[in-house]
Amino acid sequence: TDFSKNFRRESAVVQGLDFFENSLGGAGSWELSFPAPDDLSPEYLENVRKAASELRELKIDGEPAVTKVIAYTDPMDLMPSVKLWGNDFDYKRSLLNEFQPEFEPSMYNQSAGRMRIILRSIERQPAQRKLDMIKGALEIGKKYFGPEVSATGMFVLLAYLIESLLADQLTSFLLAAVGIILIMGISFRSWKVGILSMIPNIFPIVLLIGTQGWLGMPINIGTAMIASVSLGLTIDSSIHYLARFFETYRAGGSRSEALESSHSTVGLAMVLANVALVCGFSVLTLSHFLPLVFFGVLVSIAMLGGLLGNLILLPLLLRWVVKP
């Protein structure tokens, strides 16, 4: 979830991010949003003051979690306590609205009944540390304002992005696999063929993802989408191969003749089509956006694996399922 790792080191995006991280307190901007009453009171703002103070002291693994905290009470605490009229709180609030009228509406939404505390953190850090920071900030917020506290902002979005993508991609991959098995089974009137058609396509994808894990390759936006996208691309070859095989087989040809016919006709088309697709996806390796680079490389590898699976593994499976 380190945003800078989505780009090449020499890119302007990374250079600008480096400046923010090293000179301006970090590029991770986020906030805590929590319930607020219709009319602010000194007692409520005291809770805001205490929460902001604890957020400034929040540490993860012995290091400060945030570099900057901005709360509604900050400018009021800078004002001297001079009671010219009424109570001190009303005086300070009126003075704040007079000299900086845009501040209160930016921090406190009376109609929605919400207030926020703005936080800034270093963006370039591990995902687990970010998640721990968000969890710690939420615990502080709930301590003072109840369970309706939420953490929002780009910093939070990026922290949960890959985790959400992985969950969504696993679901979509399983749904796609089940859908393809059903469609293939109905099309070729055999549940065995439906299951058989998936094996040469799933095998290279599982091998590719397993290799990523063994090598410790970090998951990013591009690599999280490999499974379902690759499956949709490689199943085309299985459809063409099986259609040609059963066309010859049902016309009276033997199993060996059907395999030979499929290899000599559709097999060549499959090779050329996959080579063309690999060349097209390889163009993505020139991008400055690294998830696209990973996506192009890994999809190309998965397609080549699917091609080998459909030319080598699929015929072997057909010999096992189909009678001579």
Side-chain angles (χ1 to χ4, degrees):
T1 59
D2 181 348
F3 187 71
S4 67
K5 292 184 178 179
N6 289 323
F7 300 89
R8 299 185 189 276
R9 181 65 195 171
E10 66 275 10
S11 72
V13 173
V14 175
Q15 301 303 317
L17 191 59
D18 280 343
F19 177 76
F20 266 88
E21 294 281 90
N22 299 325
S23 306
L24 299 177
S29 178
W30 52 303
E31 62 186 59
L32 281 186
S33 172
F34 44 89
D38 292 335
D39 189 23
L40 298 179
S41 65
E43 294 75 21
Y44 176 81
L45 291 184
E46 181 60 27
N47 284 336
V48 174
R49 186 177 290 106
K50 290 178 180 178
S53 178
E54 287 197 28
L55 288 168
R56 292 185 178 98
E57 299 299 323
L58 178 63
K59 293 186 177 181
I60 304 296
D61 299 329
E63 297 292 331
V66 294
T67 59
K68 186 71 175 178
V69 177
I70 300 177
Y72 180 89
T73 54
D74 291 346
M76 299 185 73
D77 290 342
L78 294 175
M79 301 177 191
S81 297
V82 179
K83 296 183 179 181
L84 298 180
W85 51 270
N87 62 58
D88 193 49
F89 167 70
D90 290 336
Y91 165 72
K92 288 185 176 182
R93 187 177 182 185
S94 63
L95 198 62
L96 174 63
N97 289 328
E98 180 180 352
F99 285 97
Q100 200 169 4
E102 73 281 357
F103 183 78
E104 181 171 306
S106 71
M107 304 295 289
Y108 168 55
N109 188 327
Q110 185 176 24
S111 60
R114 304 289 291 184
M115 181 174 281
R116 66 174 180 164
I117 295 177
I118 300 175
L119 309 170
R120 174 167 286 184
S121 299
I122 299 298
E123 166 62 34
R124 303 176 66 175
Q125 52 186 325
Q128 188 55 53
R129 178 174 165 79
K130 290 183 179 180
L131 295 175
D132 291 341
M133 291 166 55
I134 295 168
K135 180 181 178 181
L138 285 172
E139 288 176 353
I140 292 173
K142 291 176 181 179
K143 174 181 174 182
Y144 291 99
F145 307 108
E148 296 183 21
V149 178
S150 60
T152 62
M154 185 62 70
F155 182 85
V156 178
L157 173 65
L158 290 175
Y160 286 104
L161 179 62
I162 303 302
E163 186 177 83
S164 176
L165 269 177
L166 286 174
D168 292 342
Q169 286 303 307
L170 178 60
T171 302
S172 64
F173 176 71
L174 294 175
L175 291 175
V178 171
I180 290 172
I181 290 173
L182 290 175
I183 292 173
M184 296 292 282
I186 294 171
S187 299
F188 294 102
R189 301 173 186 176
S190 171
W191 63 269
K192 289 183 179 180
V193 174
I195 296 175
L196 178 146
S197 66
M198 289 300 299
I199 296 175
N201 296 292
I202 289 181
F203 179 72
I205 295 172
V206 172
L207 187 62
L208 178 63
I209 294 175
T211 302
Q212 286 181 250
W214 287 332
L215 295 177
M217 182 181 294
I219 299 297
N220 58 33
I221 298 172
T223 55
M225 298 189 296
I226 293 300
S228 57
V229 174
S230 300
L231 183 60
L233 291 168
T234 58
I235 194 63
D236 290 357
S237 297
S238 299
I239 294 172
H240 291 302
Y241 193 97
L242 289 170
R244 182 62 178 176
F245 173 84
F246 284 108
E247 180 182 4
T248 304
Y249 184 74
R250 290 167 181 166
S254 66
R255 183 182 63 190
S256 297
E257 289 173 342
L259 289 173
E260 183 179 352
S261 175
S262 299
H263 256 64
S264 61
T265 55
V266 176
L268 177 60
M270 287 164 52
V271 172
L272 295 177
N274 277 271
V275 169
L277 285 171
V278 168
C279 290
F281 277 102
S282 296
V283 174
L284 296 177
T285 59
L286 302 176
S287 174
H288 283 281
F289 190 55
L290 293 183
L292 285 181
V293 176
F294 283 107
F295 181 76
V297 172
L298 296 177
V299 167
S300 297
I301 295 173
M303 284 192 295
L304 291 176
L307 175 64
L308 293 176
N310 284 307
L311 290 177
I312 299 173
L313 184 57
L314 183 58
L316 295 175
L317 294 171
L318 286 171
R319 283 185 174 275
W320 175 60
V321 173
V322 180
K323 296 179 181 180

